[in-house]
Amino acid sequence: MGEPARGVASMVAACTIWGLSALYYKLLDHVPPLEVLAHRTLWSFAFFAVVLGLRGRLRMLFAAIDRPGKAVRILAAAFFISCNWFLFILSVQTGHVTEASLGYYIFPLVAVLLGFVVFGERLGRAQWMAVALAAAAVLVLTLGNGVAPWIALALAATFGLYGLMKKRLAVGPVVSVTAEVLLLSPVALAVLWVYQRDGGAYGASLGDSLLLMLSGPLTAVPLMLFAYAARRVTYVTVGLVQYLNPTLQFLVAVAIFGEPFGAYDAIAFPLIWTALAIYSLATLSRERAARRAVTPSSADPTGVMRPRSEGAAKP
């Protein structure tokens, strides 16, 4: 199996774990979501720290937060990802996994909007059309159900803001997430101290204790698979395969958890799927155009490829 094939397989494995994770959190629906989140934070840090230690990369962890600017950015990222984790756990416990899947479907479009607002990135006609369709889907759900799909919107927003904080952070994904949970660990310990004082879930039964400890590898393993895949497959492939995550969440919610899927959902979700199809096709088209702009004949004597427009230029 070649490098690209291994990358795709790793990406599929990561998204499958994420997509089916609702089944795991459902087993802990009798544990307060904040307590589950605190355990996830601490056990994730423990797992990541062991991984970095075995790789001899613990020094990189402290280098990631050795300057105030980097530390503040990582702390902000930690805040947004912890909010995202909490909302997903809450959506499972309150029977809103369908809505959570909607949030992860619309996340790429929220990321596009954030890029436009914060960095002034240009949006093409197809991207604006996709954003408009997503907005229409949210409007349908809001008017139809009498309340905005706040869990979906909050999940998409927190994940988008998380990505925004990490966009210009020159730190690897495993190191940065380890730094994030490290900074969150004091808060997690305080939360667990309160819960354990009143009789927390950890230690109450062997099953619950093992499940809570499992939250560490359940967080770390797919992230490492994703990081491995991202270095070996194209950006478009990453984007397309990522839709496996909310699709599995959606199927788990409807087929296994038996969550209702009403008439307004039947209108909104196809709108979202159409928006994502338009967005993905536009992204694929741009990538193909970028590839055509670089040809073997435009390589310099060192073998470095140059854009076609520069191919005839002399050194």
Side-chain angles (χ1 to χ4, degrees), residues 8 14 22 62 72 83 94 111 115 117 121-122 145 165 174 187 190 192 231 237 243 267 310 313:
V8 171
F62 297 102
V72 169
C83 290
T94 57
V117 172
E121 296 175 354
R122 289 186 175 184
N145 298 328
M165 291 298 104
V174 175
V187 179
L192 289 182
R231 294 192 296 269
T237 301
Y243 295 136
I267 297 173
E310 299 177 3

Side-chain angles (χ1 to χ4, degrees), residues 20-63:
L20 298 179
S21 63
L23 296 171
Y24 161 79
Y25 289 109
K26 196 70 170 179
L27 297 174
L28 291 168
D29 63 358
H30 57 287
V31 181
L34 190 59
E35 185 177 1
V36 176
L37 175 64
H39 275 286
R40 182 178 184 178
T41 300
L42 290 175
W43 292 114
S44 295
F45 172 66
F47 192 93
F48 278 125
V50 170
V51 170
L52 291 179
L54 292 175
R55 293 180 177 180
R57 298 173 62 188
L58 277 177
R59 290 184 179 180
M60 297 178 65
L61 171 62
F62 297 102

